[in-house]
Amino acid sequence: MLNVTFLTRVIKIHLYLHTTFKRTDKSREITFSYCAHHIRKRQSHSYPAGGPWSILFFGTGNFSLESLRSLYNEYRAKKLCRLEVVSVCKGKKNVVIQYAEEKGIVVNKWPLENNPQGFHIGIVVSFGHLIPLNIINSFPLGMLNVHDSLLPRWRGAAPDIYTLMKGDTQTGITIMRVAEKFDTGDIVTQEKIDIHADETRPELNMKLAKLGANVLIDVLGKLPQVLSSSRPQGKLGVTYASKVSLKTSLVKWDEMTAKNVYDLQRALLGLYPLKTKFDGVTIKLLDVRQTSKPEDGRNSDIPGFVRFDRKSNTLVVTCKGPSWISTTKVIVKGHPVMSALQFRNGFIRSRKKDWILFQSNVT
Ligand SMILES: Cc1cn([C@H]2C[C@H](O)[C@@H](COP(=O)(O)OP(=O)(O)O[C@H]3O[C@H](C)[C@@H](N)[C@H](O)[C@H]3O)O2)c(=O)[nH]c1=O
Ligand SMILES: Nc1nc2c(c(=O)[nH]1)N[C@@H](CN(C=O)c1ccc(C(=O)N[C@@H](CCC(=O)O)C(=O)O)cc1)CN2
């Protein structure tokens, strides 16, 4: 009697395992039948044990292009079985759509009309839109995001800008699982790099885009195991890098040291030039560098104090500290680019002065 009960149990377990983990030798395919809890969270899916993966790529910006390129190379080498793109088309085609069309990759327009079907994983790289949970859960392996900072430092849309603006000396790439809220997902892996003192946003962006693409391909090669060892982001050290605007480029001479001003220029290069105001007129400052106090014997420690330095042929401006920056060229609103000497002649000497003050408290 005892043996019959035992035998019935063994048969039941065998049948359960057979229907739950159905394995065919040809495809090495494992069909996961999720428990009720999981069925609510993710659809029932199947995926091959170690790839090749079918990938839906979400990207809009320049930062995503290196990752898409690497994924396409993997696809061409038959290491991926399917690759499609989701992007946003507002008027002019963005770089992701241009690249996808050039390579014959299917482009799906955002917002998607239906939940994606038949993809193993979603990859998100510089995609400026919140992805809803129903889409995240359409992928049996979920979604991964390539983020250009060492999370939880610099969550948000502009991590590269804040990294440089705040003078960080290290940054890196985080590959994380996409969670419901922006940039809060579990960390799969991180790769750190040093930032050199003069590095600018375009240079850092390119370096991180390449690094991100390499780390992404490495992670895809370790799926699905690498997902199970992902870890939650720490609660300490969370900082936010929300989008910057034109206002960010306005120098606050009384609040910023020369290094702060130089870091701001590195952070905004290619986006907005540094700006200041003089007599209510906007002046763009080009080619800003940190410098030492000019040897002209003037006591000029007031933030915003501007003089022409004959020795270096530059305008030298006093910053907080005091500390000093120089600029070789400026653009006064309504005028073409002018050299420091031209500015001295046109805007300092013409006032019968040998110094002026750039405004600090302007909005
Ligand atoms: C980040 C940011 C961008 N912009 C403007 C500049 C461009 O005209 C446009 C697109 O900028 P972009 O070419 O840098 O965009 P992307 O190439 O998409 O990359 C940006 O977004 C990603 C989500 C971040 N992870 C990157 O760090 C960030 O550089 O938006 C702003 O006006 N303010 C900002 O803070
Ligand atoms: N559900 C998710 N969707 C997305 C995630 C995510 O982690 N979960 N990652 C983003 C990442 N990203 C670009 O790749 C990104 C992050 C933040 C922003 C952004 O514009 N933030 C705004 C605030 C927006 C808001 O709170 O609604 C800001 O910082 O000012 C853009 C892009 C992709 N989607």
Side-chain angles (χ1 to χ4, degrees):
M1 191 59 193
L2 195 72
N3 278 350
V4 171
T5 314
F6 178 73
L7 204 66
T8 317
R9 269 203 192 151
V10 169
I11 291 168
K12 273 187 181 166
I13 290 170
H14 176 80
L15 281 174
Y16 171 76
L17 288 176
H18 183 73
T19 50
T20 305
F21 302 106
K22 199 171 64 194
R23 196 181 185 123
T24 64
D25 282 336
K26 198 172 147 228
S27 66
R28 284 167 55 241
E29 188 169 89
I30 301 169
T31 305
F32 285 80
S33 127
Y34 283 71
C35 65
H37 170 71
H38 272 98
I39 291 171
R40 249 180 279 120
K41 281 175 71 183
R42 293 204 201 292
Q43 293 166 11
S44 174
H45 296 286
S46 70
Y47 56 81
W53 307 114
S54 180
I55 288 180
L56 186 56
F57 180 86
F58 294 66
T60 48
N62 296 316
F63 182 74
S64 41
L65 207 52
E66 286 299 320
S67 288
L68 181 58
R69 267 202 196 103
S70 298
L71 289 173
Y72 181 67
N73 290 341
E74 294 287 290
Y75 174 74
R76 288 288 305 270
K78 303 208 179 338
K79 292 182 192 161
L80 300 180
C81 57
R82 186 177 172 199
L83 177 65
E84 290 189 17
V85 159
V86 175
S87 197
V88 178
C89 201
K90 285 195 232 138
K92 194 173 168 256
K93 286 176 184 167
N94 66 46
V95 288
V96 169
I97 297 185
Q98 283 175 31
Y99 180 82
E101 287 185 352
E102 193 186 300
K103 300 296 179 191
I105 304 169
V106 173
V107 178
N108 302 275
K109 300 276 155 65
W110 182 265
L112 296 174
E113 280 172 14
N114 300 304
N115 286 350
Q117 280 190 340
F119 294 95
H120 299 121
I121 189 163
I123 305 291
V124 186
V125 191
S126 96
F127 184 73
H129 302 271
L130 187 75
I131 299 169
L133 210 50
N134 60 302
I135 292 187
I136 301 172
N137 290 340
S138 303
F139 301 94
L141 293 171
M143 300 183 82
L144 291 178
N145 178 225
V146 180
H147 183 88
D148 48 346
S149 79
L150 298 171
L151 288 167
R153 189 160 174 78
W154 304 133
R155 287 179 180 166
D160 54 339
I161 295 178
Y162 280 75
T163 296
L164 294 172
M165 192 162 74
K166 298 295 174 185
D168 292 1
T169 54
Q170 282 195 321
T171 184
I173 284 293
T174 301
I175 309 277
M176 71 172 144
R177 306 190 73 162
V178 174
E180 191 173 7
K181 290 187 181 155
F182 271 138
D183 299 341
T184 57
D186 289 358
I187 295 173
V188 175
T189 189
Q190 289 186 311
E191 191 87 28
K192 214 180 261 182
I193 57 163
D194 290 331
I195 304 170
H196 69 73
D198 299 315
E199 200 147 4
T200 62
R201 177 175 178 260
E203 291 163 351
L204 185 64
N205 248 330
M206 186 40 74
K207 215 156 100 179
L208 287 174
K210 288 196 165 124
L211 178 65
N214 289 340
V215 182
L216 173 67
I217 300 303
D218 190 48
V219 163
L220 291 177
K222 294 176 187 159
L223 287 177
Q225 291 82 0
V226 78
L227 297 177
S228 53
S229 55
S230 60
R231 58 187 163 88
Q233 294 184 28
K235 290 197 169 58
L236 292 177
V238 178
T239 57
Y240 292 93
S242 53
K243 267 201 164 198
V244 300
S245 66
L246 198 58
K247 254 172 78 178
T248 317
S249 62
L250 200 60
V251 178
K252 296 186 172 97
W253 302 106
D254 54 350
E255 288 176 20
M256 295 179 176
T257 64
K259 175 154 183 347
N260 297 153
V261 177
Y262 183 65
D263 288 345
L264 184 64
Q265 177 183 252
R266 298 193 293 135
L268 298 181
L269 194 77
L271 205 49
Y272 309 116
L274 295 189
K275 276 184 330 187
T276 187
K277 286 209 174 181
F278 169 59
D279 273 357
V281 177
T282 301
I283 300 174
K284 291 178 183 165
L285 308 170
L286 311 180
D287 192 19
V288 167
R289 289 160 203 240
Q290 297 178 77
T291 189
S292 50
K293 183 174 183 173
E295 294 163 0
D296 56 8
R298 268 203 213 100
N299 194 10
S300 60
D301 292 351
I302 318 158
F305 185 101
V306 190
R307 79 257 267 189
F308 176 73
D309 180 43
R310 276 175 213 287
K311 209 168 148 199
S312 58
N313 223 3
T314 62
L315 295 171
V316 175
V317 190
T318 308
C319 308
K320 186 182 163 187
S323 52
W324 293 268
I325 60 102
S326 68
T327 170
T328 54
K329 281 176 258 158
V330 296
I331 302 176
V332 180
K333 201 171 179 188
H335 296 261
V337 182
M338 61 182 84
S339 67
L341 182 62
Q342 286 169 324
F343 182 82
R344 195 270 311 243
N345 293 339
F347 292 85
I348 304 179
R349 268 207 165 165
S350 63
R351 284 169 171 76
K352 302 209 177 343
K353 290 172 102 173
D354 61 1
W355 60 273
I356 56 167
L357 269 188
F358 281 159
Q359 288 169 248
S360 272
N361 298 315
V362 276
T363 48

